[in-house]
Amino acid sequence: MRKVALLGSTGSIGVSALDVLGRLRDRFRVVALAAGGGRLGELARQAREVRPALVAVPGADDATRLRELLAGEPIEVVAGEEGLVRAAAGSGADLVIAAIVGAAGLVPTLAAVRAGLTVALANKEALVAAGEVMTRAARESGATLLPVDSEHNAIHQCLRAGRADEVRRIVLTASGGPFRGRTAGELAAVTPEEALRHPTWEMGPKITIDSATLMNKGLEVIEARWLFGLPPGAIDVVIHPQSVVHSMVEFRDGSIVAQLGTPDMRHPIQYALTYPERLDAPAERLDLLAASPLEFEPPDPETFRCLALAYRALEAGGDAPARLNAANEVAVEAFLAGRIPFDRIPAVLERVLEARPPGPADTLEAVLAADREAREAARRAVARETEGRR
């Protein structure tokens, strides 16, 4: 029986993962949970249900409250970054589901990789910000990285059809988000409520906004570069509104292999958990006739500039992707708080990228320093945007 640590258990991926794990109780046992402090009641409910030995939360106050909620339960509660690292790499797990959103998941995910564990990676920011560090650590420790993101999970499945040296390119599909087809001028009046209404997927707020700006796809391009060892020119993006074709691989003989399925994260989660086996479907199966027709179109990089900025950061290299990721987190938070309009998110990112040339990103310390510097630069850029609207 495999032992699992689930980082980010109260988020959308975490909830889906627990559903899959609940169906596979004869194969997996949850030994650690970790989550933010915003949903302690839900975390306590999860802990009572799966009974892990360890639960990690961000702060000491969160830990105190969670201990009260779990009074009488033989579950250890730990706090802070040290607690997250312990959940990831010191809980006895041999498989870690890394689903903490944003750069907050970087350190515990790296700890699991350095420990040589199998990491089911749903935190794309870990590879976006620290791809060089993460992949080098995996090579040195023998850790296995298995993508949970539906697009990269699809690529992983498609690559089983051929050898790495036979790949010409990969194609990541994007739904286009709720504003597909709108002009740049129309995006200025978009509200957070509108941006949070994704047409096909149910996700957390940050990822949903990233999907609306196409930054989610830009981050996935950067992640794909590290997961699959391909240059930017071999990673393409197409808009596919139905979210049925999750991604594709074109081989050098012209053959294109695609992975199709319903837009339900339980499918890629189970694939990552049980790889290389395939078990019975954990969710609704795809009805091809009901899903047809399937449409494809090019992205609009002039209107949705975040995708182009992600390619620019990837081409620049060094700490540019880490700084882009950090600035995006700040900008999305500012938009959700009503401090900047939707269409000014890319302007904040561009200012941060142009503030200085890329620096090195070959150590965790360098990545974290770039992350801190970019967040501060993004806050200044947001402040200027806010002041300019008065």
Side-chain angles (χ1 to χ4, degrees):
M1 181 172 286
R2 302 197 72 178
K3 298 176 182 178
V4 178
L6 174 53
L7 312 181
S9 66
T10 59
S12 60
I13 296 293
V15 170
S16 293
L18 285 172
D19 181 81
V20 173
L21 290 165
R23 299 165 189 265
L24 301 173
R25 287 191 181 93
D26 59 330
R27 290 172 172 256
F28 299 95
R29 179 163 66 90
V30 178
V31 297
L33 295 175
R39 301 184 67 192
L40 291 180
E42 172 66 8
L43 180 57
R45 186 199 64 76
Q46 291 176 343
R48 286 198 181 92
E49 182 176 329
V50 302
R51 304 185 70 79
L54 183 77
V55 178
V57 289
D61 291 343
D62 300 324
T64 298
R65 176 60 180 146
L66 187 59
R67 291 187 187 104
E68 294 171 354
L69 293 172
L70 292 174
E73 298 284 350
I75 298 172
E76 184 180 2
V77 177
V78 295
E81 188 175 275
E82 184 178 331
L84 287 174
V85 168
R86 187 172 163 202
S91 61
D94 53 72
L95 189 155
V96 176
I97 303 174
I100 296 176
V101 176
L106 199 162
V107 171
T109 301
L110 182 58
V113 171
R114 285 175 169 167
L117 307 179
T118 297
V119 178
L121 191 62
N123 173 292
K124 62 174 58 67
E125 292 85 356
L127 284 179
V128 171
E132 181 179 353
V133 175
M134 203 73 63
T135 52
R136 183 177 66 236
R139 289 192 301 270
E140 292 172 351
S141 69
T144 300
L145 295 177
L146 293 172
V148 169
D149 256 359
S150 61
E151 294 82 2
H152 301 95
N153 189 276
I155 296 297
H156 191 278
Q157 296 187 51
C158 293
L159 287 173
R160 295 170 75 173
R163 299 193 311 268
D165 63 356
E166 296 173 328
V167 174
R168 179 177 178 269
R169 64 171 180 148
I170 64 175
V171 181
L172 303 174
T173 56
S175 71
F179 309 127
R180 179 176 67 91
R182 296 216 190 168
T183 66
E186 291 172 328
L187 294 181
V190 161
T191 66
E193 292 73 23
E194 291 174 313
L196 288 170
R197 294 189 202 119
H198 196 279
T200 52
W201 290 96
E202 292 185 13
M203 306 174 290
K206 195 268 182 182
I207 296 176
T208 303
I209 299 302
D210 283 350
S211 180
T213 65
L214 289 195
M215 176 51 82
N216 194 48
K217 210 53 46 181
L219 297 178
E220 287 173 6
V221 168
I222 300 172
E223 184 183 9
R225 178 262 178 271
W226 294 106
L227 275 173
F228 307 117
L230 294 170
I235 306 170
D236 288 341
V237 172
V238 299
I239 303 299
H240 170 54
Q242 291 77 27
S243 297
V244 168
V245 177
H246 296 307
S247 278
M248 299 170 271
V249 173
E250 181 182 354
F251 292 93
R252 65 185 183 190
D253 64 354
S255 298
I256 295 178
V257 176
Q259 189 268 331
L260 287 70
T262 56
D264 190 315
M265 285 304 300
R266 288 175 292 182
H267 289 292
I269 289 169
Q270 180 169 290
Y271 173 86
L273 287 173
T274 64
Y275 174 80
E277 288 186 82
R278 290 185 185 272
L279 303 184
D280 288 345
E284 182 181 357
R285 294 175 181 273
L286 176 65
D287 182 338
L288 276 173
L289 296 180
S292 298
L294 302 181
E295 303 167 287
F296 302 92
E297 59 192 57
D300 178 359
E302 296 300 320
T303 301
F304 298 93
R305 294 173 50 228
C306 286
L307 178 59
L309 289 172
Y311 271 104
R312 186 196 303 183
L314 181 56
E315 293 279 6
D319 66 3
R323 297 176 71 243
L324 177 78
N325 177 70
N328 182 61
E329 290 189 22
V330 172
V332 168
E333 182 181 338
F335 165 68
L336 288 172
R339 297 178 60 205
I340 62 172
F342 181 84
D343 67 333
R344 299 307 292 170
I345 291 175
V348 171
L349 310 187
E350 193 163 30
R351 280 180 176 163
V352 173
L353 284 179
E354 293 178 349
R356 66 165 174 81
D362 54 353
T363 67
L364 177 60
E365 293 73 22
V367 170
L368 293 177
D371 180 272
R372 289 191 296 270
E373 176 266 328
R375 286 176 192 276
E376 184 55 39
R379 291 186 190 104
R380 292 194 299 271
V382 166
R384 285 195 293 271
E385 291 286 339
T386 304
E387 186 65 29
R389 295 171 63 202
R390 291 175 182 169

mmCIF file of all heavy atoms in Angstrom, residues 126-162:
data_model
loop_
_atom_site.group_PDB
_atom_site.id
_atom_site.type_symbol
_atom_site.label_atom_id
_atom_site.label_comp_id
_atom_site.label_asym_id
_atom_site.label_seq_id
_atom_site.Cartn_x
_atom_site.Cartn_y
_atom_site.Cartn_z
ATOM 1 N N ALA A 126 5.958 25.601 -9.263
ATOM 2 C CA ALA A 126 7.217 25.016 -8.810
ATOM 3 C C ALA A 126 8.213 24.887 -9.963
ATOM 4 O O ALA A 126 9.406 25.170 -9.809
ATOM 5 C CB ALA A 126 6.966 23.653 -8.166
ATOM 6 N N LEU A 127 7.718 24.465 -11.135
ATOM 7 C CA LEU A 127 8.598 24.342 -12.294
ATOM 8 C C LEU A 127 8.750 25.661 -13.037
ATOM 9 O O LEU A 127 9.793 25.937 -13.621
ATOM 10 C CB LEU A 127 8.070 23.278 -13.252
ATOM 11 C CG LEU A 127 8.300 21.823 -12.830
ATOM 12 C CD1 LEU A 127 7.714 20.873 -13.860
ATOM 13 C CD2 LEU A 127 9.778 21.525 -12.634
ATOM 14 N N VAL A 128 7.710 26.501 -13.008
ATOM 15 C CA VAL A 128 7.824 27.804 -13.669
ATOM 16 C C VAL A 128 8.911 28.636 -13.005
ATOM 17 O O VAL A 128 9.776 29.225 -13.665
ATOM 18 C CB VAL A 128 6.479 28.549 -13.615
ATOM 19 C CG1 VAL A 128 6.639 29.989 -14.087
ATOM 20 C CG2 VAL A 128 5.445 27.837 -14.480
ATOM 21 N N ALA A 129 8.894 28.699 -11.679
ATOM 22 C CA ALA A 129 9.844 29.533 -10.952
ATOM 23 C C ALA A 129 11.199 28.875 -10.785
ATOM 24 O O ALA A 129 12.227 29.552 -10.809
ATOM 25 C CB ALA A 129 9.273 29.900 -9.579
ATOM 26 N N ALA A 130 11.215 27.569 -10.612
ATOM 27 C CA ALA A 130 12.464 26.888 -10.241
ATOM 28 C C ALA A 130 12.672 25.624 -11.064
ATOM 29 O O ALA A 130 13.090 24.593 -10.537
ATOM 30 C CB ALA A 130 12.448 26.553 -8.741
ATOM 31 N N GLY A 131 12.395 25.709 -12.359
ATOM 32 C CA GLY A 131 12.510 24.533 -13.207
ATOM 33 C C GLY A 131 13.901 23.918 -13.200
ATOM 34 O O GLY A 131 14.057 22.695 -13.105
ATOM 35 N N GLU A 132 14.930 24.765 -13.305
ATOM 36 C CA GLU A 132 16.304 24.248 -13.323
ATOM 37 C C GLU A 132 16.637 23.558 -12.004
ATOM 38 O O GLU A 132 17.203 22.456 -11.977
ATOM 39 C CB GLU A 132 17.288 25.389 -13.582
ATOM 40 C CG GLU A 132 18.743 24.940 -13.632
ATOM 41 C CD GLU A 132 19.715 26.084 -13.904
ATOM 42 O OE1 GLU A 132 19.247 27.204 -14.191
ATOM 43 O OE2 GLU A 132 20.938 25.843 -13.826
ATOM 44 N N VAL A 133 16.271 24.188 -10.895
ATOM 45 C CA VAL A 133 16.555 23.623 -9.577
ATOM 46 C C VAL A 133 15.793 22.319 -9.383
ATOM 47 O O VAL A 133 16.344 21.312 -8.909
ATOM 48 C CB VAL A 133 16.180 24.637 -8.471
ATOM 49 C CG1 VAL A 133 16.362 24.016 -7.088
ATOM 50 C CG2 VAL A 133 17.020 25.898 -8.607
ATOM 51 N N MET A 134 14.518 22.316 -9.739
ATOM 52 C CA MET A 134 13.659 21.163 -9.496
ATOM 53 C C MET A 134 14.077 19.958 -10.328
ATOM 54 O O MET A 134 14.166 18.833 -9.821
ATOM 55 C CB MET A 134 12.214 21.544 -9.814
ATOM 56 C CG MET A 134 11.163 20.700 -9.125
ATOM 57 S SD MET A 134 10.986 21.012 -7.356
ATOM 58 C CE MET A 134 10.448 22.708 -7.340
ATOM 59 N N THR A 135 14.345 20.165 -11.607
ATOM 60 C CA THR A 135 14.689 19.033 -12.465
ATOM 61 C C THR A 135 16.088 18.503 -12.144
ATOM 62 O O THR A 135 16.336 17.300 -12.226
ATOM 63 C CB THR A 135 14.589 19.426 -13.945
ATOM 64 O OG1 THR A 135 15.353 20.618 -14.193
ATOM 65 C CG2 THR A 135 13.144 19.681 -14.333
ATOM 66 N N ARG A 136 17.014 19.389 -11.768
ATOM 67 C CA ARG A 136 18.347 18.912 -11.355
ATOM 68 C C ARG A 136 18.242 18.076 -10.088
ATOM 69 O O ARG A 136 18.875 17.006 -9.971
ATOM 70 C CB ARG A 136 19.277 20.097 -11.132
ATOM 71 C CG ARG A 136 20.720 19.668 -10.778
ATOM 72 C CD ARG A 136 21.642 20.859 -10.629
ATOM 73 N NE ARG A 136 21.292 21.684 -9.491
ATOM 74 C CZ ARG A 136 21.018 22.993 -9.563
ATOM 75 N NH1 ARG A 136 21.035 23.614 -10.732
ATOM 76 N NH2 ARG A 136 20.709 23.673 -8.479
ATOM 77 N N ALA A 137 17.422 18.526 -9.137
ATOM 78 C CA ALA A 137 17.236 17.773 -7.897
ATOM 79 C C ALA A 137 16.616 16.404 -8.176
ATOM 80 O O ALA A 137 16.980 15.407 -7.541
ATOM 81 C CB ALA A 137 16.367 18.566 -6.929
ATOM 82 N N ALA A 138 15.689 16.345 -9.127
ATOM 83 C CA ALA A 138 15.058 15.072 -9.471
ATOM 84 C C ALA A 138 16.077 14.111 -10.075
ATOM 85 O O ALA A 138 16.081 12.910 -9.763
ATOM 86 C CB ALA A 138 13.899 15.301 -10.433
ATOM 87 N N ARG A 139 16.954 14.623 -10.935
ATOM 88 C CA ARG A 139 17.991 13.762 -11.519
ATOM 89 C C ARG A 139 18.932 13.238 -10.434
ATOM 90 O O ARG A 139 19.322 12.060 -10.441
ATOM 91 C CB ARG A 139 18.788 14.534 -12.569
ATOM 92 C CG ARG A 139 18.031 14.840 -13.850
ATOM 93 C CD ARG A 139 18.970 15.329 -14.943
ATOM 94 N NE ARG A 139 19.688 16.541 -14.557
ATOM 95 C CZ ARG A 139 19.250 17.782 -14.777
ATOM 96 N NH1 ARG A 139 18.073 17.961 -15.362
ATOM 97 N NH2 ARG A 139 19.969 18.836 -14.422
ATOM 98 N N GLU A 140 19.294 14.100 -9.516
ATOM 99 C CA GLU A 140 20.251 13.709 -8.475
ATOM 100 C C GLU A 140 19.656 12.733 -7.465
ATOM 101 O O GLU A 140 20.353 11.847 -6.971
ATOM 102 C CB GLU A 140 20.766 14.958 -7.756
ATOM 103 C CG GLU A 140 21.637 15.852 -8.641
ATOM 104 C CD GLU A 140 21.984 17.169 -7.977
ATOM 105 O OE1 GLU A 140 21.410 17.467 -6.895
ATOM 106 O OE2 GLU A 140 22.824 17.916 -8.536
ATOM 107 N N SER A 141 18.370 12.901 -7.142
ATOM 108 C CA SER A 141 17.757 12.064 -6.107
ATOM 109 C C SER A 141 17.055 10.831 -6.653
ATOM 110 O O SER A 141 16.757 9.900 -5.901
ATOM 111 C CB SER A 141 16.730 12.892 -5.320
ATOM 112 O OG SER A 141 15.596 13.200 -6.129
ATOM 113 N N GLY A 142 16.777 10.841 -7.953
ATOM 114 C CA GLY A 142 16.006 9.753 -8.535
ATOM 115 C C GLY A 142 14.508 9.922 -8.373
ATOM 116 O O GLY A 142 13.738 8.979 -8.608
ATOM 117 N N ALA A 143 14.071 11.117 -7.988
ATOM 118 C CA ALA A 143 12.644 11.383 -7.837
ATOM 119 C C ALA A 143 11.940 11.294 -9.190
ATOM 120 O O ALA A 143 12.535 11.551 -10.240
ATOM 121 C CB ALA A 143 12.421 12.759 -7.222
ATOM 122 N N THR A 144 10.665 10.937 -9.140
ATOM 123 C CA THR A 144 9.835 10.883 -10.334
ATOM 124 C C THR A 144 8.829 12.022 -10.307
ATOM 125 O O THR A 144 8.111 12.190 -9.316
ATOM 126 C CB THR A 144 9.078 9.545 -10.422
ATOM 127 O OG1 THR A 144 10.027 8.470 -10.477
ATOM 128 C CG2 THR A 144 8.182 9.502 -11.654
ATOM 129 N N LEU A 145 8.785 12.815 -11.380
ATOM 130 C CA LEU A 145 7.814 13.895 -11.503
ATOM 131 C C LEU A 145 6.713 13.457 -12.463
ATOM 132 O O LEU A 145 6.986 13.159 -13.627
ATOM 133 C CB LEU A 145 8.471 15.169 -12.032
ATOM 134 C CG LEU A 145 9.533 15.828 -11.146
ATOM 135 C CD1 LEU A 145 10.130 17.043 -11.850
ATOM 136 C CD2 LEU A 145 8.943 16.241 -9.807
ATOM 137 N N LEU A 146 5.493 13.402 -11.969
ATOM 138 C CA LEU A 146 4.346 13.034 -12.797
ATOM 139 C C LEU A 146 3.376 14.202 -12.841
ATOM 140 O O LEU A 146 2.904 14.659 -11.797
ATOM 141 C CB LEU A 146 3.644 11.799 -12.218
ATOM 142 C CG LEU A 146 4.444 10.495 -12.264
ATOM 143 C CD1 LEU A 146 3.718 9.407 -11.493
ATOM 144 C CD2 LEU A 146 4.674 10.061 -13.704
ATOM 145 N N PRO A 147 3.077 14.743 -14.015
ATOM 146 C CA PRO A 147 2.204 15.923 -14.100
ATOM 147 C C PRO A 147 0.745 15.587 -13.826
ATOM 148 O O PRO A 147 0.228 14.583 -14.310
ATOM 149 C CB PRO A 147 2.406 16.409 -15.534
ATOM 150 C CG PRO A 147 2.813 15.183 -16.295
ATOM 151 C CD PRO A 147 3.584 14.325 -15.336
ATOM 152 N N VAL A 148 0.092 16.453 -13.055
ATOM 153 C CA VAL A 148 -1.334 16.322 -12.782
ATOM 154 C C VAL A 148 -2.139 17.305 -13.621
ATOM 155 O O VAL A 148 -3.271 17.018 -13.992
ATOM 156 C CB VAL A 148 -1.626 16.517 -11.275
ATOM 157 C CG1 VAL A 148 -3.114 16.644 -11.004
ATOM 158 C CG2 VAL A 148 -1.040 15.361 -10.473
ATOM 159 N N ASP A 149 -1.569 18.478 -13.919
ATOM 160 C CA ASP A 149 -2.251 19.424 -14.820
ATOM 161 C C ASP A 149 -2.803 18.647 -16.012
ATOM 162 O O ASP A 149 -2.085 17.836 -16.611
ATOM 163 C CB ASP A 149 -1.248 20.467 -15.332
ATOM 164 C CG ASP A 149 -1.404 21.801 -14.639
ATOM 165 O OD1 ASP A 149 -2.299 21.929 -13.788
ATOM 166 O OD2 ASP A 149 -0.620 22.708 -14.940
ATOM 167 N N SER A 150 -4.037 18.904 -16.382
ATOM 168 C CA SER A 150 -4.656 18.086 -17.422
ATOM 169 C C SER A 150 -3.870 18.123 -18.733
ATOM 170 O O SER A 150 -3.744 17.101 -19.417
ATOM 171 C CB SER A 150 -6.096 18.542 -17.665
ATOM 172 O OG SER A 150 -6.135 19.886 -18.102
ATOM 173 N N GLU A 151 -3.303 19.297 -19.073
ATOM 174 C CA GLU A 151 -2.573 19.415 -20.338
ATOM 175 C C GLU A 151 -1.275 18.620 -20.310
ATOM 176 O O GLU A 151 -0.969 17.862 -21.243
ATOM 177 C CB GLU A 151 -2.296 20.888 -20.640
ATOM 178 C CG GLU A 151 -3.543 21.703 -20.902
ATOM 179 C CD GLU A 151 -4.241 22.160 -19.621
ATOM 180 O OE1 GLU A 151 -3.727 21.864 -18.517
ATOM 181 O OE2 GLU A 151 -5.299 22.806 -19.720
ATOM 182 N N HIS A 152 -0.494 18.772 -19.262
ATOM 183 C CA HIS A 152 0.783 18.060 -19.194
ATOM 184 C C HIS A 152 0.578 16.572 -18.939
ATOM 185 O O HIS A 152 1.348 15.737 -19.409
ATOM 186 C CB HIS A 152 1.673 18.677 -18.118
ATOM 187 C CG HIS A 152 1.955 20.125 -18.356
ATOM 188 N ND1 HIS A 152 1.228 21.113 -17.780
ATOM 189 C CD2 HIS A 152 2.872 20.737 -19.157
ATOM 190 C CE1 HIS A 152 1.690 22.291 -18.187
ATOM 191 N NE2 HIS A 152 2.669 22.088 -19.030
ATOM 192 N N ASN A 153 -0.469 16.257 -18.194
ATOM 193 C CA ASN A 153 -0.815 14.858 -18.018
ATOM 194 C C ASN A 153 -1.162 14.232 -19.358
ATOM 195 O O ASN A 153 -0.754 13.099 -19.662
ATOM 196 C CB ASN A 153 -2.003 14.768 -17.050
ATOM 197 C CG ASN A 153 -2.313 13.350 -16.624
ATOM 198 O OD1 ASN A 153 -3.013 12.634 -17.333
ATOM 199 N ND2 ASN A 153 -1.813 12.953 -15.471
ATOM 200 N N ALA A 154 -1.890 14.980 -20.204
ATOM 201 C CA ALA A 154 -2.221 14.497 -21.543
ATOM 202 C C ALA A 154 -0.962 14.291 -22.382
ATOM 203 O O ALA A 154 -0.826 13.281 -23.078
ATOM 204 C CB ALA A 154 -3.156 15.484 -22.239
ATOM 205 N N ILE A 155 -0.033 15.249 -22.319
ATOM 206 C CA ILE A 155 1.227 15.106 -23.060
ATOM 207 C C ILE A 155 1.976 13.865 -22.584
ATOM 208 O O ILE A 155 2.518 13.089 -23.396
ATOM 209 C CB ILE A 155 2.106 16.360 -22.891
ATOM 210 C CG1 ILE A 155 1.430 17.587 -23.516
ATOM 211 C CG2 ILE A 155 3.489 16.142 -23.491
ATOM 212 C CD1 ILE A 155 1.205 17.515 -24.997
ATOM 213 N N HIS A 156 2.026 13.656 -21.275
ATOM 214 C CA HIS A 156 2.694 12.480 -20.716
ATOM 215 C C HIS A 156 2.101 11.199 -21.291
ATOM 216 O O HIS A 156 2.831 10.257 -21.651
ATOM 217 C CB HIS A 156 2.559 12.496 -19.190
ATOM 218 C CG HIS A 156 3.424 11.500 -18.472
ATOM 219 N ND1 HIS A 156 3.075 10.174 -18.329
ATOM 220 C CD2 HIS A 156 4.625 11.647 -17.856
ATOM 221 C CE1 HIS A 156 4.015 9.540 -17.651
ATOM 222 N NE2 HIS A 156 4.979 10.411 -17.353
ATOM 223 N N GLN A 157 0.774 11.164 -21.405
ATOM 224 C CA GLN A 157 0.124 9.981 -21.964
ATOM 225 C C GLN A 157 0.436 9.836 -23.452
ATOM 226 O O GLN A 157 0.729 8.734 -23.935
ATOM 227 C CB GLN A 157 -1.386 10.070 -21.748
ATOM 228 C CG GLN A 157 -1.791 10.045 -20.278
ATOM 229 C CD GLN A 157 -3.287 9.962 -20.093
ATOM 230 O OE1 GLN A 157 -3.949 9.096 -20.679
ATOM 231 N NE2 GLN A 157 -3.844 10.850 -19.283
ATOM 232 N N CYS A 158 0.392 10.943 -24.192
ATOM 233 C CA CYS A 158 0.650 10.886 -25.634
ATOM 234 C C CYS A 158 2.085 10.459 -25.944
ATOM 235 O O CYS A 158 2.341 9.770 -26.942
ATOM 236 C CB CYS A 158 0.371 12.241 -26.275
ATOM 237 S SG CYS A 158 -1.365 12.734 -26.261
ATOM 238 N N LEU A 159 3.021 10.862 -25.099
ATOM 239 C CA LEU A 159 4.424 10.529 -25.340
ATOM 240 C C LEU A 159 4.696 9.034 -25.219
ATOM 241 O O LEU A 159 5.742 8.561 -25.698
ATOM 242 C CB LEU A 159 5.323 11.299 -24.364
ATOM 243 C CG LEU A 159 5.460 12.797 -24.643
ATOM 244 C CD1 LEU A 159 6.217 13.488 -23.518
ATOM 245 C CD2 LEU A 159 6.165 13.032 -25.974
ATOM 246 N N ARG A 160 3.788 8.310 -24.634
ATOM 247 C CA ARG A 160 3.958 6.855 -24.551
ATOM 248 C C ARG A 160 3.797 6.198 -25.923
ATOM 249 O O ARG A 160 4.068 5.000 -26.087
ATOM 250 C CB ARG A 160 2.960 6.278 -23.549
ATOM 251 C CG ARG A 160 3.212 6.760 -22.129
ATOM 252 C CD ARG A 160 2.101 6.397 -21.155
ATOM 253 N NE ARG A 160 2.121 4.990 -20.786
ATOM 254 C CZ ARG A 160 1.337 4.463 -19.845
ATOM 255 N NH1 ARG A 160 0.474 5.244 -19.188
ATOM 256 N NH2 ARG A 160 1.400 3.173 -19.546
ATOM 257 N N ALA A 161 3.394 6.986 -26.935
ATOM 258 C CA ALA A 161 3.207 6.453 -28.288
ATOM 259 C C ALA A 161 4.486 6.459 -29.115
ATOM 260 O O ALA A 161 4.501 5.931 -30.232
ATOM 261 C CB ALA A 161 2.127 7.254 -29.017
ATOM 262 N N GLY A 162 5.563 7.060 -28.608
ATOM 263 C CA GLY A 162 6.795 7.132 -29.392
ATOM 264 C C GLY A 162 7.985 7.488 -28.525
ATOM 265 O O GLY A 162 7.857 7.714 -27.320
#
